Structure formats: C-alpha cells, structure tokens
Amino acid sequence: MNDQTANINLADTNSLPLVSILIPSYKPRWFKEALDSAIAQDYPHLEIIVYDNCPTEEICQICTQYPQVRYWRNPNTRLQNLIDITKASKGRYIKFLFDDDLLEPECVSQMVNAIMQDSNVCMVFSHSWIIDENGKRKLQRRGFDPQEKITIVDGDSICKRITGNCANFIGEFSSILLDGEWLRSNPD
C-alpha cells in the first residue's frame, strides 16, 4: 500500500462502514471454499449474502452451516441474479464474490482503506491469481500498476487504457469493490 494512504482502524467497528459480500451462486464445486474465504476476512463489519440459483440443494445445505450468512433461493440467472442480490444488500460498499473465486483474508480491509481515501472514488480493484484445482497459484493477472498493491487512477485513464489496449485489465467482478450507494443510484 502506498505510504501516503491512511489505514482504517479495524478495532473501531462502530466507525467502519458496512461491506456487503455478495455471492451469486450456481456451481457448488468450489462454493464452500469461496464462502469460507468471505467469512475469514479480517474486516469486522460485514454482511454476507448468498443468492442461490443452483439446480440442486448443495449450496443451500452448505449455507445452513453458517448462521451469519443471509441466504435466498433465487430462480433468476446471470445479470438478474446480480441485480437482485445488489438490491438485497445494505452495505456502504459492495464486494462481489463468485462461487469459484477466493478472497485473501485482508482483501476487504485493504479495498475499503483504498476507496475511503477519496470521496469521488466509486470503485477499486485488485490483482488476481489464477489458481488450479489444488488451490495452488499459477498466474497473476490484471492490475494497473504491478509494482503497487494499491493504485489510485482516474476514470479517464482507465477508459483510455482499456480501449487503447483492447484489454480488460480490471478483471472479474470478484476483483472489485464498489461504492454501494453509487451502484444503487446508477442501476444501468
């Protein structure tokens, strides 16, 4: 993290904004590991919501083991599932987590720390890793500045970089944290 950024105080939970970790789920194969990585966050002020549209009961059965998880069966798929789960969230910030992705334990706290540095920021993103079926890291991907853990970039620079290189360096939804108020007020 850049030296000029202040660190949030994780011990002062009353001053921390609520973060919603939203898991729109369909595939049970890696779901438990994804959910465990959400629960293992060092950030103490979380709500974890699962919207399940798996054709079997496997995800539901896993969620019954976690009383802190808000669970819903949702017949909608893809985009509508994302819209529905976002509407159900209450967090100031939203962290999507897909059912075959994992979060590092300090992911949310680092992202909240970054987004709180500037009230004009509505999204932060992180590096991600491709991991194999044994959980071994294979390849790091994406990222604006590979030398920095946290980089603050204006929206114009991001658009120019994406369109100029014809590449999505931001990554999947699991690698971003969004300002929930901004997202709910800009549904399109």
Side-chain angles (χ1 to χ4, degrees):
M1 190 169 309
N2 296 337
D3 291 336
Q4 61 266 43
T5 60
N7 288 319
I8 55 175
N9 181 359
L10 295 178
D12 185 9
T13 56
N14 291 331
S15 69
L16 294 174
L18 179 65
V19 174
S20 300
I21 298 181
L22 307 181
I23 309 174
S25 60
Y26 180 77
K27 299 175 286 190
R29 180 170 183 199
W30 302 110
F31 174 77
K32 184 176 185 320
E33 288 83 356
L35 182 57
D36 285 341
S37 77
I39 291 169
Q41 291 302 295
D42 67 356
Y43 189 84
H45 197 40
L46 296 171
E47 71 171 351
I48 300 172
I49 303 174
V50 174
Y51 262 43
D52 173 14
N53 64 9
C54 178
T56 71
E57 294 299 314
E58 289 179 74
I59 290 173
C60 177
Q61 291 169 355
I62 292 168
C63 288
T64 61
Q65 302 169 32
Y66 299 91
Q68 70 271 47
V69 172
R70 291 174 43 205
Y71 171 87
W72 280 278
R73 187 78 148 137
N74 187 2
N76 296 316
T77 59
R78 300 191 182 262
L79 179 59
Q80 190 59 50
N81 199 19
L82 291 173
I83 292 168
D84 293 346
I85 197 171
T86 301
K87 288 178 180 177
S89 69
K90 298 176 184 165
R92 172 69 171 90
Y93 300 111
I94 293 176
K95 176 77 178 107
F96 287 99
L97 175 61
F98 287 160
D99 55 24
D100 59 354
D101 293 330
L102 302 173
L103 300 177
E104 295 286 344
E106 68 285 347
C107 176
V108 170
S109 61
Q110 288 185 3
M111 293 181 116
V112 169
N113 191 61
I115 203 167
M116 290 180 66
Q117 299 305 311
D118 185 334
S119 62
N120 295 315
V121 174
C122 61
M123 179 184 78
V124 297
F125 59 94
S126 65
H127 300 285
S128 62
W129 289 88
I130 295 174
I131 57 175
D132 66 17
E133 61 279 353
N134 299 313
K136 183 177 178 184
R137 292 178 179 188
K138 301 300 268 183
L139 176 68
Q140 187 175 26
R141 61 181 171 189
R142 313 242 178 1
F144 201 82
D145 183 352
Q147 304 305 313
E148 297 288 340
K149 280 180 123 179
I150 303 292
T151 304
I152 298 173
V153 183
D154 67 271
D156 287 340
S157 295
I158 289 175
C159 290
K160 288 176 185 172
R161 182 105 178 246
I162 289 173
T163 57
N165 295 330
C166 294
N168 174 8
F169 62 88
I170 293 174
E172 299 77 21
F173 258 19
S174 292
S175 67
I176 64 173
L177 178 111
L178 295 161
D179 181 320
E181 293 175 4
W182 175 84
L183 183 62
R184 285 185 283 270
S185 66
N186 294 284
D188 299 330

